[in-house]
Amino acid sequence: MENINWLQEVESRKEDLFKDLFRLLKIDSVRDDAAATEETPVGPGPKAALDEFLKMAQEDGFQTQAFGPWAGRVEIGAGDELMGILGHVDVVPAGSGWDTDPFEPQIINDRIYARGSSDDKGPTVGAYFALKLLRELGHTFNKRVHLIVGTDEESGWQCMDYYFKHAEMPDFGFSPDAEFPIINGEKGNVSAAIDTKDSQVLEGDLKLIEFKSGLRPNMVPESASAVLEVLKGDIDFQADFDQFLAENDLKGDLSVDGKQVSITVVGKSAHGSTPHKGVNGATQLGRFLSQYRFDDQAAENFVQVLSHELFEGFDGSKVGVSHHHDVMGDVSMNIGIANYDAEKGGHIDVNFRYPEGTEPDTMLGQMEKALGHYASLQVSMGHHKDPHYVPADDPLVETLLDVYHKQTGFEAHEQSIGGGTYGRLMPRGVAYGALFPDSIDVMHQANEFLAVEDLLRATAIYAEAIYRLTK
């Protein structure tokens, strides 16, 4: 099998690959806590996608095993060592701005459009298809291989918490949920909550009735909306808003109904680990509102912190947490959720991806100092994931980089990201594909797609990599 043309083998079976993938893409597997039950703890969609994946593998003759309603695995091979391949079938909310139905996959101009095509159903199915191909070609696996599929990667990773309480940890492996040539370093991940609850009365012209923006901490919110009540003064909101949109190349809507003003700003969504690639609707709307004065200290502080310390401070420097690591890079900061209610106050979720050399307790102290002039703000840190790194001279990393270089001719080098993948769960775990350096990254965005060429190339790379690691 040393001289196999892996890409040719995959291309000759591409219709079967598309068929497998489309089965999963048709399932709306967004987490839905409102519809959660004991049998579907993160909603019916993720569980339905998991069931379909295992059913597909069973139909193909693989041995499978379910782990409660949370996770499942496909098994092949024999031996003392265990290789893990970890993917997920849950997806982030579709959001707005799609040109097609996000759960009716279509191939348009050699791109597969659907929510989950790139993150992570496409890459996971590519890795699964690589196992099918190797089995068909007669490969004898000298290690056990577990393709493990979760249902809660985009939220709290409860699926993997459950799985690894009941199953063996792989000795090594990869997650097909990032980019090539490899991700052998992943930053830590923690969200800070900024809450405003002081209802001290101020001499303002407006009352902030509500402010809404964001779906998940790990997404740049595409849009934000606010409802205001005019208390006094004569403000030409439409003129102010038109000027703001023109100066900042934004879109939005504004309507006035008596004393009530409704405003929406539309930006651009992006993955929360790369906030600079998006246009954050929440902080942009905060900037617009910051020119006015509100009648409540909580509202005033909510708007001001959004528009100043949290606006485009992507490296965390405006809130005092910036830090650089020579291998893993810089801290990144995303404002994922920003909500305000006149009765309950405000809540802002600030998601950080941080390299080695800092940690959440330190960052909390730095934020409290940087935001100390806001008397009504309270800052707290949530659960965190530590940074993860597998050295470049590890045989796993060397093999995966060699396969990538051999098949693409591109430079193979180590790299770190802010995004978190299941690869970090394994002591010798990395992320491997499926995006290439020349791919267009639309994860977590409207009109998400995976290029057909990228899917075929990644599947071929996975096949040779698994072959090399288990021969």
Side-chain angles (χ1 to χ4, degrees):
M1 297 178 66
E2 295 291 343
N3 296 320
I4 285 179
N5 184 321
W6 297 99
L7 182 58
Q8 186 178 76
E9 294 291 344
V10 172
E11 288 177 334
S12 69
R13 297 165 174 82
K14 67 179 181 181
E15 296 305 323
D16 290 336
L17 174 58
F18 297 157
K19 183 179 179 181
D20 287 352
L21 176 55
F22 277 39
R23 287 179 66 167
L24 291 182
L25 292 176
K26 289 177 178 291
I27 299 173
D28 179 346
S29 53
V30 175
R31 178 172 178 153
D32 184 0
D33 291 333
T37 67
E38 186 175 345
E39 293 76 25
T40 61
V42 286
K47 179 62 162 56
L50 174 64
D51 290 344
E52 187 67 20
F53 188 90
L54 294 178
K55 179 182 177 183
M56 179 175 69
Q58 291 161 5
E59 291 171 358
D60 288 334
F62 282 100
Q63 181 178 345
T64 67
Q65 186 171 349
F67 290 81
W70 289 105
R73 76 181 182 213
V74 177
E75 305 173 10
I76 196 170
D80 294 332
E81 285 191 275
L82 174 61
M83 175 182 175
I85 303 171
L86 279 63
H88 66 94
V89 292
D90 61 305
V91 298
V92 297
S96 59
W98 284 77
D99 297 326
T100 61
D101 186 328
F103 298 105
E104 284 296 332
Q106 297 186 45
I107 298 179
I108 303 172
N109 296 326
D110 293 322
R111 294 172 172 177
I112 302 170
Y113 285 90
R115 175 58 91 216
S117 56
S118 180
D119 182 19
D120 181 44
K121 293 176 180 177
T124 298
V125 170
Y128 167 74
F129 202 82
L131 292 178
K132 282 177 49 172
L133 174 60
L134 287 166
R135 186 184 62 178
E136 184 178 328
L137 294 175
H139 174 55
T140 299
F141 295 81
N142 72 352
K143 297 177 179 65
R144 292 173 294 141
V145 179
H146 288 174
L147 174 55
I148 305 161
V149 179
T151 57
D152 186 38
E153 194 273 348
E154 298 293 0
S155 298
W157 291 25
Q158 295 176 80
C159 51
M160 290 297 120
D161 290 341
Y162 184 91
Y163 178 85
F164 284 115
K165 286 180 181 177
H166 298 85
E168 181 182 359
M169 174 65 70
D171 296 298
F172 66 95
F174 67 86
S175 175
D177 189 20
E179 59 193 61
F180 291 117
I182 202 169
I183 303 297
N184 58 315
E186 296 187 14
K187 295 177 184 177
N189 189 331
V190 68
S191 284
I194 300 177
D195 294 294
T196 61
K197 298 181 179 179
D198 187 344
S199 58
Q200 179 182 346
V201 177
L202 301 176
E203 290 294 327
D205 301 323
L206 303 172
K207 183 179 185 65
L208 181 59
I209 305 299
E210 70 174 22
F211 186 110
K212 293 183 178 180
S213 183
L215 298 169
R216 296 279 178 82
N218 62 348
M219 298 175 67
V220 175
E222 179 185 49
S223 62
S225 61
V227 178
L228 317 173
E229 180 185 347
V230 180
L231 302 176
K232 59 185 178 180
D234 184 16
I235 303 172
D236 190 344
F237 288 102
Q238 191 65 62
D240 292 347
F241 193 56
D242 289 343
Q243 180 179 352
F244 176 78
L245 295 181
E247 289 178 350
N248 295 280
D249 193 24
L250 294 169
K251 296 180 180 179
D253 295 296
L254 184 146
S255 63
V256 180
D257 183 7
K259 294 293 186 180
Q260 185 167 295
V261 182
S262 299
I263 307 170
T264 298
V265 169
V266 180
K268 177 185 176 184
S269 61
H271 195 290
S273 66
T274 54
H276 59 284
K277 294 184 178 180
V279 179
N280 194 304
T283 59
Q284 290 288 352
L285 181 52
R287 285 182 69 220
F288 174 71
L289 296 178
S290 67
Q291 64 187 298
Y292 308 117
R293 290 294 171 259
F294 295 89
D295 72 329
D296 181 274
Q297 188 69 60
E300 184 72 16
N301 286 354
F302 177 85
V303 169
Q304 292 301 321
V305 75
L306 270 180
S307 63
H308 291 89
E309 285 82 2
L310 302 182
F311 176 71
E312 292 189 351
F314 300 127
D315 65 352
S317 57
K318 291 184 178 181
V319 293
V321 304
S322 60
H323 175 73
H324 176 79
H325 184 273
D326 288 343
V327 175
M328 305 190 78
D330 296 300
V331 168
S332 70
M333 181 181 80
N334 177 55
I335 315 308
I337 296 173
N339 293 322
Y340 182 88
D341 179 274
E343 300 298 324
K344 300 177 182 178
H347 172 81
I348 303 171
D349 191 299
V350 185
N351 183 244
F352 294 104
R353 312 299 171 102
Y354 61 96
E356 292 182 345
T358 188
E359 45 83 36
D361 286 344
T362 299
M363 297 166 69
L364 175 59
Q366 292 167 331
M367 288 187 70
E368 289 175 333
K369 181 179 179 180
L371 302 177
H373 59 288
Y374 291 104
S376 74
L377 294 187
Q378 298 176 358
V379 185
S380 59
M381 285 287 181
H383 175 73
H384 71 278
K385 297 183 178 73
D386 292 325
H388 172 77
Y389 180 68
V390 181
D393 59 357
D394 186 287
L396 169 67
V397 176
E398 292 180 333
T399 298
L400 295 179
L401 287 177
D402 187 62
V403 171
Y404 170 81
H405 176 70
K406 175 185 172 185
Q407 287 211 29
T408 66
F410 296 153
E411 178 187 359
H413 55 83
E414 68 170 324
Q415 59 181 348
S416 298
I417 60 167
T421 76
Y422 285 158
R424 70 189 303 134
L425 295 173
M426 298 174 283
R428 291 181 58 222
V430 301
Y432 193 50
L435 292 181
F436 293 85
D438 58 353
S439 298
I440 300 174
D441 181 1
V442 286
M443 291 185 182
H444 293 203
Q445 299 181 36
N447 297 316
E448 177 184 348
F449 70 83
L450 179 61
V452 169
E453 180 185 6
D454 287 356
L455 175 61
L456 300 179
R457 286 196 297 172
T459 303
I461 289 173
Y462 292 149
E464 182 176 1
I466 298 168
Y467 165 71
R468 292 267 299 272
L469 291 167
T470 62
K471 71 176 182 176

